[in-house]
Amino acid sequence: MKMNTKLTSFIHDIIDKDLEEGKNQGRVHTRFPPEPNGYLHIGHAKSICLNFGLAQEYGGLCNLRFDDTNPSKEDIEYVESIKEDVKWLGYDWDDRLFYASDYFEQLYDFAVQLIKAGKAYVDDLSAEEIREYRGTLTQPGKDSPYRNRSVEENLDLFQRMKAGEFPDGSRVLRAKIDMASPNLNMRDPVLYRIQRTTHHRTGDKWCIYPMYDFAHPLSDAIEGITHSICTCEFEDHRPLYNWVIENVEGNFRSRPQQIEFARLNLSHTVMSKRKLRQLVEEGHVRGWDDPRMPTISGLRRRGYTPESIRDFCERIGVAKAVSTVDIAMLEHCIREDLNFKAPRVMAVLRPLKVVIENYPEGRVEWLDAAYNQENPELGSRKIPFSRVVYIEQEDFMEDPPKKFFRLAPGREVRLKHAYIIKCEQVIKDEQTGEIIELRCTYDPATKSGMSTETRKVKGTLHWVSADHAVKAEVRLYEHLFIKANPEEDKDTDFKQNLNPNSLQVLSSLVEPSLAGAAPGSRYQFLRQGYFCVDPDTTNGSLVFNRVVSLKDSWAKAQNK
């Protein structure tokens, strides 16, 4: 029975029909089956939300299974990071954590079954020769000269492959299906290969490993999976998925049904694990969790919340048609989430000194300021105001255009939570002509919240007190690639489209309430955007990542 349904899709329709017909004993059992050969990205988040979400909606179960059949590319580091990502997104596999390597003995026995049934054989062709014999989309393949070995010879050779008698790459086990099939995946696919690589779980116990297309469907069947949900690139593999399950004898609770959906493509980034690894290994980013990366760990470090990513995955939905989602939509989701829950504080990213000449020297006022007027439960704090403050450089212009309502010579603005000030004098560097200081006056009768305060000005600026501000490193992130589709030109290296300005590091000042901000804490910097405390933060050294600016291009486009 479906529970708490938030969205419907063609996958829901399939499951509903199965339940109506009494298939799978009325069960819904899904799985999220990553290969532990890299960090998960936002595309995997869509799959996590879909598989665990479907199980929740239908009162079913969802397993976490690592398809760890290629030890040369796998590592325990990836296993742990994937578990952390799934938990962080808000999902739990309870006692259903599995590995394909749990089933290596069973998978070997299934391969022996196929050999005994005359449906698999040991082939001595090299990998290159196998490719040549396979044919093309328009040309049928050719039978291997080893295709008609006897069952006895194949059993002997396969057992000796397992025993380690042959060098790596010298022999493989192949399914005997149809070398003339229009589907290249059905032209006697490789089921096992020799590979002397230490496995992160089984050590050196095995020197032969099953191929993904063999281990994956059988792992699903062993676990009693009812609906095997994957992306559309596996659609051509479905006949092989079904063939493998149909041609072995196992005490399977149900026969899994493979259902394909369109993978997530996101603008201004890449989703290929291979290409993401290139960016990491070649030093274009600082690591898998670099806040510019589309990895879940990168998004988490940047300051994205699990709620915002789940909201994003729900909004984009599930379809068969491949499309690209504008990254602005993901940014909109985090703005929506943080608008209510993030405390709003003041930070000056590019400071300009302001001396309020008629304010008493040595005097400090502690002003009341709510953290978020839309969320009173966040409370308030005291902000110090003194004779010398800092404002943003961009909030002053010596010769402003007509609709510039911020500070300029002879003009007035309000300092947020404080007073109205007026610029009286501009101080410049004698050598460069750069503006280094403003001399201003304030009106004591204009204190924010005073019942007698009646004057209005058009501009309100954020600021920090010079004597109380806390130094902070602020990292401003832009899109990782300058092109919406970095892979558009197949003849050009995608890395040529990297954005050289994707990271800008500033020495900034923040209000003193942030002095003890813990890594992972999120704030709105007034008039700037949403920021998150980076793990690089140490005692006395704050580091903030900009999650996203306040400007919302996606919402604006939707309103139009």
Side-chain angles (χ1 to χ4, degrees):
M1 185 179 77
K2 195 187 298 187
M3 300 164 52
N4 302 320
T5 305
K6 292 184 179 180
L7 55 81
T8 58
S9 66
F10 73 96
I11 298 178
H12 289 84
D13 295 340
I14 292 170
I15 295 175
D16 288 342
K17 187 171 184 292
D18 288 346
L19 293 175
E20 286 172 12
E21 295 175 354
K23 282 181 67 177
N24 306 309
Q25 307 90 41
R27 296 181 304 112
V28 174
H29 198 155
T30 61
R31 80 288 174 271
F32 175 61
E35 298 172 72
N37 58 7
Y39 283 69
L40 300 184
H41 54 60
I42 186 71
H44 296 109
K46 177 180 177 179
S47 181
I48 292 168
C49 292
L50 179 59
N51 279 287
F52 280 93
L54 285 168
Q56 288 179 353
E57 287 174 38
Y58 288 95
L61 301 172
C62 183
N63 298 355
L64 173 62
R65 182 182 71 244
F66 291 95
D67 280 339
D68 53 345
T69 59
N70 188 4
S72 64
K73 294 183 178 180
E74 297 163 356
D75 196 281
I76 192 67
E77 172 191 352
Y78 301 134
V79 171
E80 294 305 319
S81 75
I82 289 169
K83 290 196 289 188
E84 181 184 2
D85 288 347
V86 174
K87 287 273 192 185
W88 179 77
L89 279 171
Y91 298 106
D92 197 336
W93 52 87
D94 297 319
D95 59 349
R96 296 179 307 281
L97 173 62
F98 302 112
Y99 298 81
S101 53
D102 293 338
Y103 315 129
F104 278 176
E105 289 287 354
Q106 286 172 273
L107 296 174
Y108 177 82
D109 291 342
F110 286 139
V112 169
Q113 276 187 30
L114 291 176
I115 294 172
K116 288 180 176 178
K119 295 177 179 179
Y121 62 97
V122 174
D123 195 355
D124 296 3
L125 292 179
S126 67
E128 187 177 340
E129 288 170 330
I130 289 174
R131 278 193 296 272
E132 290 173 3
Y133 274 63
R134 183 171 288 138
T136 66
L137 291 170
T138 57
Q139 295 286 330
K142 295 187 300 182
D143 286 357
S144 165
Y146 307 99
R147 194 174 195 264
N148 293 315
R149 277 173 162 157
S150 68
V151 168
E152 292 71 26
E153 185 179 6
N154 282 317
L155 286 172
D156 175 64
L157 289 171
F158 189 51
Q159 192 281 325
R160 291 164 65 192
M161 283 171 61
K162 180 187 178 187
E165 288 190 27
F166 309 121
D168 289 11
S170 61
R171 286 185 165 89
V172 295
L173 181 71
R174 296 178 68 179
K176 187 187 286 189
I177 306 178
D178 181 3
M179 288 303 293
S181 171
N183 185 334
L184 268 63
N185 295 295
M186 300 296 282
R187 295 183 186 176
D188 291 12
V190 174
L191 304 181
Y192 267 87
R193 77 284 201 196
I194 304 171
Q195 183 180 320
R196 285 173 176 78
T197 306
T198 301
H199 191 280
H200 67 96
R201 293 189 74 242
T202 60
D204 296 319
K205 180 179 179 181
W206 295 87
C207 65
I208 58 170
Y209 290 99
M211 300 299 288
Y212 178 89
D213 278 345
F214 181 66
H216 180 76
L218 290 172
S219 298
D220 281 350
I222 291 167
E223 293 175 16
I225 301 303
T226 58
H227 300 87
S228 173
I229 299 162
C230 59
T231 47
C232 285
E233 60 261 40
F234 292 100
E235 187 168 6
D236 289 342
H237 295 245
R238 194 197 318 152
L240 177 56
Y241 182 102
N242 292 336
W243 184 92
V244 168
I245 294 172
E246 289 166 359
N247 284 278
V248 300
E249 292 182 13
N251 187 24
F252 303 138
R253 190 176 179 187
S254 58
R255 175 181 157 182
Q257 177 183 358
Q258 179 173 305
I259 307 169
E260 306 88 11
F261 68 95
R263 61 177 291 175
L264 171 62
N265 293 313
L266 193 65
S267 69
H268 296 93
T269 191
V270 293
M271 292 297 199
S272 159
K273 241 192 277 190
R274 177 180 58 83
K275 290 179 178 177
L276 292 175
R277 185 180 287 107
Q278 266 185 276
L279 295 177
V280 172
E281 293 177 351
E282 294 176 14
H284 300 289
V285 293
R286 295 179 175 182
W288 285 98
D289 68 343
D290 187 301
R292 293 166 289 182
M293 291 278 274
T295 54
I296 296 175
S297 55
L299 293 168
R300 179 168 59 242
R301 182 170 185 172
R302 183 156 174 168
Y304 276 82
T305 61
E307 294 86 355
S308 67
I309 293 177
R310 293 199 304 266
D311 180 35
F312 171 72
C313 292
E314 184 178 333
R315 286 172 186 256
I316 61 177
V318 181
K320 277 279 192 181
V322 177
S323 62
T324 298
V325 178
D326 192 331
I327 198 169
M329 187 177 179
L330 177 62
E331 295 168 346
H332 170 77
C333 291
I334 186 61
R335 287 190 190 95
E336 287 272 292
D337 189 43
L338 292 183
N339 180 54
F340 185 72
K341 64 172 65 168
R344 298 174 183 179
V345 297
M346 294 197 287
V348 177
L349 303 190
R350 300 172 179 87
L352 173 60
K353 187 177 181 181
V354 174
V355 178
I356 304 171
E357 293 186 301
N358 63 333
Y359 193 86
E361 285 197 44
R363 180 182 175 190
V364 178
E365 287 183 79
W366 290 87
L367 310 173
D368 283 317
Y371 272 120
N372 188 333
Q373 290 182 330
E374 295 180 35
N375 185 0
E377 290 184 7
L378 292 178
S380 62
R381 80 283 191 199
K382 296 281 190 179
I383 302 173
F385 182 78
S386 60
R387 188 171 188 267
V388 181
V389 299
Y390 285 98
I391 65 170
E392 292 288 347
Q393 293 175 14
E394 64 182 25
D395 281 340
F396 177 82
M397 288 187 75
E398 194 170 17
D399 184 20
K402 200 169 186 179
K403 292 192 176 181
F404 184 81
F405 299 121
R406 288 168 267 179
L407 198 57
R411 287 195 184 178
E412 292 183 324
V413 295
R414 173 170 292 284
L415 296 182
K416 181 75 173 175
H417 303 301
Y419 298 93
I420 291 175
I421 63 170
K422 181 179 180 181
C423 180
E424 307 286 358
Q425 185 183 359
V426 179
I427 310 297
K428 297 183 181 180
D429 185 291
E430 293 181 358
Q431 303 296 321
T432 64
E434 178 189 359
I435 297 170
I436 56 172
E437 186 179 309
L438 303 178
R439 298 292 174 93
C440 297
T441 56
Y442 88 114
D443 183 346
T446 59
K447 186 175 181 179
S448 292
M450 287 177 60
S451 58
T452 56
E453 190 270 302
T454 57
R455 292 179 54 198
K456 303 293 182 185
V457 289
K458 288 189 174 180
T460 300
L461 309 184
H462 62 277
W463 54 276
V464 292
S465 168
D467 288 341
H468 305 85
V470 177
K471 292 180 180 179
E473 177 181 304
V474 174
R475 299 169 181 174
L476 303 180
Y477 295 100
E478 299 291 346
H479 296 146
L480 186 54
F481 292 91
I482 52 177
K483 277 190 172 183
N485 182 2
E487 303 167 286
E488 187 175 26
D489 187 352
K490 302 302 179 187
D491 297 325
T492 303
D493 185 347
F494 78 102
K495 296 191 296 294
Q496 290 186 17
N497 295 314
L498 281 165
N499 181 0
N501 301 312
S502 61
L503 171 61
Q504 186 179 5
V505 180
L506 304 178
S507 296
S508 304
L509 298 169
V510 300
E511 65 173 71
S513 71
L514 297 179
S521 303
R522 301 171 184 87
Y523 301 90
Q524 183 192 116
F525 288 179
L526 287 176
R527 304 174 60 231
Q528 302 284 1
Y530 294 99
F531 291 77
C532 181
V533 183
D534 188 83
D536 285 347
T537 291
T538 57
N539 288 335
S541 180
L542 282 170
V543 180
F544 287 92
N545 296 321
R546 183 171 67 186
V547 188
V548 69
S549 65
L550 290 179
K551 186 179 178 182
D552 194 335
S553 58
W554 186 82
K556 190 174 180 181
Q558 297 307 300
N559 290 333
K560 282 185 180 179

